[in-house]
Amino acid sequence: MANAASGMAVDDECKLKFLELKAKRNYRFIVFKINNQQVVVDKLGGPDETYEDFSAALPVDECRYAVFDFDFTTAENCQKSKIFFIAWAPDTSRVRSKMVYASSKDRFKRELDGIQVELQATDPSEMSFDIIKARAI
């Protein structure tokens, strides 16, 4: 279960909650953190929460992984949704933490089947609502 390269395990709850977000739309977002060499669920955002709620759920000085279910309307007036994977590594976080999150990211992302867009962000401006919207369309 643990990845030889990073020694990181993924808690089953991470995959379970992601499937609920993807299939049942129970959540708008999920924030994950690494705790004791394991990726675990940190926060869950309800289906009625906004992108602002999601941004506020990310700590200003600690790394996190997150998925966000973005709903939008196309130019043809079609309702669509895309699931974003965001690797949050603020400049103010510890170097060791950034290294651990960076080395574990690809393996963790592979556990979450159905991610459509990936984003790397080191400060809130790199994952602004406008950027999310532009990447979705």
Side-chain angles (χ1 to χ4, degrees):
M1 180 160 186
N3 180 5
S6 66
M8 203 58 58
V10 177
D11 187 43
D12 288 339
E13 187 190 14
C14 295
K15 291 180 256 187
L16 190 70
K17 296 297 180 197
F18 179 74
L19 285 172
E20 288 178 19
L21 175 142
K22 188 172 80 168
K24 300 179 188 166
R25 304 180 68 84
N26 290 2
Y27 309 106
R28 173 67 53 204
F29 65 85
I30 307 170
V31 179
F32 305 96
K33 70 177 180 179
I34 295 175
N35 190 18
N36 296 325
Q37 296 296 305
Q38 185 171 14
V39 180
V40 296
V41 173
D42 186 28
K43 292 184 180 124
L44 295 168
D48 53 347
E49 295 208 41
T50 64
Y51 189 74
E52 287 73 32
D53 297 326
F54 166 65
S55 295
L58 295 172
V60 292
D61 59 354
E62 288 180 40
C63 299
R64 292 289 187 270
Y65 300 126
V67 289
F68 182 78
D69 187 10
F70 179 66
D71 291 325
F72 62 98
T73 306
T74 66
E76 295 81 37
N77 211 21
C78 294
Q79 282 295 113
K80 288 201 165 188
S81 163
K82 285 207 175 161
I83 297 174
F84 279 74
F85 177 87
I86 297 167
W88 173 245
D91 291 328
T92 52
S93 59
R94 295 198 324 271
V95 172
R96 173 153 171 67
S97 176
K98 286 193 243 191
M99 288 170 59
V100 168
Y101 274 82
S103 67
S104 307
K105 180 187 75 167
D106 287 337
R107 180 185 183 275
F108 177 59
K109 204 175 80 177
R110 278 196 302 271
E111 297 282 337
L112 307 178
D113 185 38
I115 289 170
Q116 293 152 307
V117 184
E118 181 183 341
L119 208 59
Q120 179 86 34
T122 58
D123 72 72
S125 70
E126 293 178 358
M127 51 173 268
S128 70
F129 188 74
D130 292 339
I131 289 174
I132 295 286
K133 202 166 141 185
R135 291 285 303 270
I137 297 169

